[in-house]
Each structure stands twice: as C-alpha cells, then as structure tokens.
Amino acid sequence: MINIRLLPVILGCLLLMACPAYPQPPFGPEGLITPFITRQPQFRSGISLDEAIQRIRRETGGRILAADTVRNDGAVTYRIKVLMPNGRVRVFYVDAEG
C-alpha cells in the first residue's frame, strides 16, 4: 500500500518525466550554430517606385495615371505617366538610382 504522504512526491516526479526536454543548441568550433539560415537585410541605394511616384506627384501637382518599371541592361528606370493640372498628359522617366 502506498503511503499518502508519498503520493504528492510520486505525482510530481511523474509530471516532471512527462514534460518534454528541450535540447541544447548545437555548438561548433565558432560558437553557436544556427539550425536555419537567417535572412540578411537587403541594403540598396536608390529609390523605390512608390518614392518616385510621390516625388513626381509632389513636383507636378498632377494625377498619376500609370507607373511602370523599365529594365535596360541591368539599369532600372521608372516610367510615370501624369495628368497635369492643365489637362495635358506627360510621361516622366526617373532613374531608380536616385
């Protein structure tokens, strides 16, 4: 027969055995080895299409009709079609490098 005083100790041991064990992180010669590849932030110079649109809208005061990205031999240019306040349509080309 089990002593009633030992029952909480036995139940506590059973609960500890049921908990999953968390493994130690792997270590290599250079320290901690991450099990996944972390994505490095991409730093690039220049402006985005949205920034180019905002700049043209601010400079002309017109309404943006269309905006496209044009690639020529690795160079990126933004083509932005604008309805000017005087009613005329103009096309602006913005270099993505700024």
Side-chain angles (χ1 to χ4, degrees):
M1 183 127 179
I2 299 176
N3 192 349
I4 294 184
R5 291 182 186 168
L6 291 177
L7 190 60
V9 174
I10 294 172
L11 288 176
C13 290
L14 288 174
L15 282 175
L16 285 175
M17 289 174 33
C19 293
Y22 295 103
Q24 289 288 332
F27 288 93
E30 298 172 0
L32 180 65
I33 299 172
T34 55
F36 55 89
I37 299 173
T38 58
R39 187 171 185 185
Q40 297 294 324
Q42 299 294 321
F43 296 105
R44 60 179 181 85
S45 62
I47 62 173
S48 68
L49 178 60
D50 290 335
E51 292 168 337
I53 290 170
Q54 293 300 323
R55 188 170 87 182
I56 295 295
R57 181 181 293 141
R58 188 173 48 248
E59 290 176 2
T60 64
R63 184 173 147 217
I64 306 298
L65 299 176
D68 299 316
T69 302
V70 180
R71 290 176 169 75
N72 290 327
D73 296 327
V76 178
T77 305
Y78 302 126
R79 179 182 175 270
I80 302 171
K81 188 186 281 189
V82 181
L83 176 62
M84 301 298 284
N86 63 4
R88 298 192 66 159
V89 175
R90 286 188 61 193
V91 177
F92 293 89
Y93 291 92
V94 179
D95 184 19
E97 291 300 316

